[in-house]
Amino acid sequence: MKKYNWGIIGPGKIAHKFAQDITQSKNMQIHAVASRSLERAQSFASQYGAKYSFGTYEEIVHCPDLDIVYVATPHVSHCKNTLMCLEQKIAVLCEKPFAMNTLEVRQMIDMSRKMNTFLMEAFWTRFLPTTKKILELIREDKIGELVSVKADFGFKPAFDPGGRLFNRELGGGSLLDIGIYPVFLALLLLGKPAKIHAGANLGETGVDVDCGILFQYSNGKMAHLHSTILAQTKTEAFIYGSKGTIHIQSRWHEPTWFSLILENQRPQNFHFDQFSNGYNYEAEEAVKCLTEGKTESELLPLDFSLDLIQVLDEIRAKAGIFYPGIDKV
């Protein structure tokens, strides 16, 4: 069995969770890590048994025996880091949001297709067993025709004006960091909306600290979505159908259980054992695609990621969320 060698660009908090899951795999291992600090890269490499460590991002593309790179840098660097790898025909799994806007995502997709090299957005929720089962129940018509989706995501971090969440220069704010999850769910289940209504509360650093979104569809369906970094919300999701409801329990983007609620029946609960952080499923999908010679995933195709960023761009335009040096105002 081939053991796939992963490289990591940006050894931050999420990269640690990803690496923890990779080290538990039989056919994957952390092979290289790149940071802007060599000391930080060496520490990460030592922790997860990586053979190579680099003090600049650029050096990793010259690493021998590298199969795929996981890009886990701040949002604003996703496009640059991804293009850097794709230009060298190195496969990429890039954290969400894929990039800062539609223009950047198009550049990434175009380069992937030009170089015939694998690219996928690291939207880990898409690959969880819970998501797989929910989609199966919907296909089996368990809740009837979909009517609407309701989802929120909110938590209250300590205020740090220079930190990633509150810094406009780093693509901060609730929408791109956590609001992307409710938007993703609506897009996955209902598709692109005909109309988008959105409003945001912009905090003292100029990022959206609270964002409310309403999707309207030509067939009458709706999605009610909310993200905030001002308060701890229940972070639940409800999928309403003509015959019943799927209630995804808190925290719905990484659930270990959900409920199927049918009319005049007691809720049926579905539980899933979780022996990892949950990032192994997206990594396994990426490796499966590489093994089969695919340049994109059928479960999360590049056109879906393009639709997602286009919807996020429209939400930002409607809500007045702008980033200096990236958006023209």
Side-chain angles (χ1 to χ4, degrees):
M1 178 190 294
K2 173 178 171 58
K3 198 152 191 174
Y4 283 85
N5 290 328
W6 282 88
I8 291 179
I9 299 179
K13 182 179 178 181
I14 198 167
H16 277 280
K17 291 183 177 181
F18 184 84
Q20 288 162 12
D21 285 0
I22 295 298
T23 56
Q24 301 301 312
S25 170
K26 294 180 180 179
N27 67 332
M28 296 182 283
Q29 63 186 359
I30 304 300
H31 183 67
V33 58
S35 172
R36 289 173 295 183
S37 161
L38 179 58
E39 183 180 1
R40 194 177 180 204
Q42 290 173 335
S43 174
F44 191 99
S46 175
Q47 185 172 351
Y48 299 106
K51 187 175 181 180
Y52 298 95
S53 53
F54 304 102
T56 67
Y57 295 154
E58 291 75 17
E59 290 176 88
I60 200 169
V61 301
H62 303 296
C63 179
D65 303 319
L66 189 62
D67 293 307
I68 183 169
V69 164
Y70 172 58
V71 173
T73 50
H75 307 337
V76 292
S77 299
H78 286 181
C79 180
K80 179 181 178 181
N81 297 152
T82 296
L83 292 176
M84 177 183 74
C85 294
L86 292 175
E87 286 169 354
Q88 299 299 319
K89 302 201 69 149
I90 298 171
V92 176
L93 174 67
C94 179
E95 257 307 323
K96 54 84 193 157
F98 221 10
M100 289 300 295
N101 55 37
T102 299
L103 176 62
E104 290 187 347
V105 169
R106 285 192 187 278
Q107 290 175 338
M108 294 158 65
I109 292 174
D110 287 348
M111 184 61 70
S112 167
R113 290 172 175 166
K114 175 184 176 182
M115 304 304 290
N116 196 35
T117 300
F118 178 81
L119 174 63
M120 188 177 87
E121 186 171 9
F123 218 113
W124 64 307
T125 303
R126 174 64 183 89
F127 306 100
L128 296 177
T130 43
T131 302
K132 181 179 179 181
K133 184 62 179 180
I134 287 166
L135 292 175
E136 180 184 304
L137 292 173
I138 292 172
R139 284 194 300 268
E140 292 174 352
D141 199 40
K142 294 295 186 182
I143 62 170
E145 183 181 356
L146 295 187
V147 174
S148 65
V149 172
K150 181 180 179 182
D152 75 285
F153 196 151
F155 71 107
K156 190 177 181 181
F159 178 67
D160 176 6
R164 180 182 64 83
L165 278 172
F166 296 93
N167 189 338
R168 292 179 79 194
E169 300 290 340
L170 296 179
S174 78
L175 177 64
L176 293 188
D177 193 69
I178 55 176
I180 189 173
Y181 284 100
V183 172
F184 156 81
L185 185 65
L187 192 62
L188 179 67
L189 298 177
L190 302 177
K192 292 182 77 172
K195 291 183 180 179
I196 295 175
H197 308 272
N201 172 12
L202 302 182
E204 59 184 89
T205 61
V207 304
D208 66 290
V209 291
D210 196 275
C211 187
I213 306 159
L214 175 67
F215 288 174
Q216 287 184 294
Y217 294 82
S218 56
N219 55 12
K221 297 176 184 180
M222 301 182 77
H224 310 260
L225 316 171
H226 176 228
S227 64
T228 183
I229 50 176
L230 292 179
Q232 180 73 48
T233 71
K234 295 194 79 171
T235 309
E236 296 176 306
F238 295 85
I239 304 166
Y240 298 106
S242 59
K243 298 193 299 187
T245 299
I246 293 174
H247 176 199
I248 316 177
Q249 313 292 335
S250 183
R251 299 181 338 146
W252 75 262
H253 70 294
E254 53 177 4
T256 55
W257 70 292
F258 66 87
S259 301
L260 173 64
I261 307 168
L262 302 179
E263 295 178 7
N264 303 316
Q265 296 183 30
R266 296 184 64 180
Q268 181 181 357
N269 298 324
F270 294 83
H271 293 269
F272 298 81
D273 293 327
Q274 185 80 333
F275 301 108
S276 67
N277 295 314
Y279 295 91
N280 53 303
Y281 299 106
E282 63 180 3
E284 288 165 0
E285 172 65 12
V287 164
K288 178 176 179 287
C289 289
L290 291 181
T291 302
E292 296 174 354
K294 296 178 180 177
T295 56
E296 61 182 289
S297 166
E298 294 175 4
L299 297 180
L300 192 71
L302 294 175
D303 284 346
F304 181 93
S305 291
L306 182 59
D307 286 345
L308 178 58
I309 197 67
Q310 288 173 339
V311 169
L312 289 169
D313 279 358
E314 188 171 346
I315 292 169
R316 291 205 295 117
K318 294 286 176 65
I321 303 168
F322 297 101
Y323 294 100
I326 297 171
D327 300 314
K328 294 180 180 180
V329 294

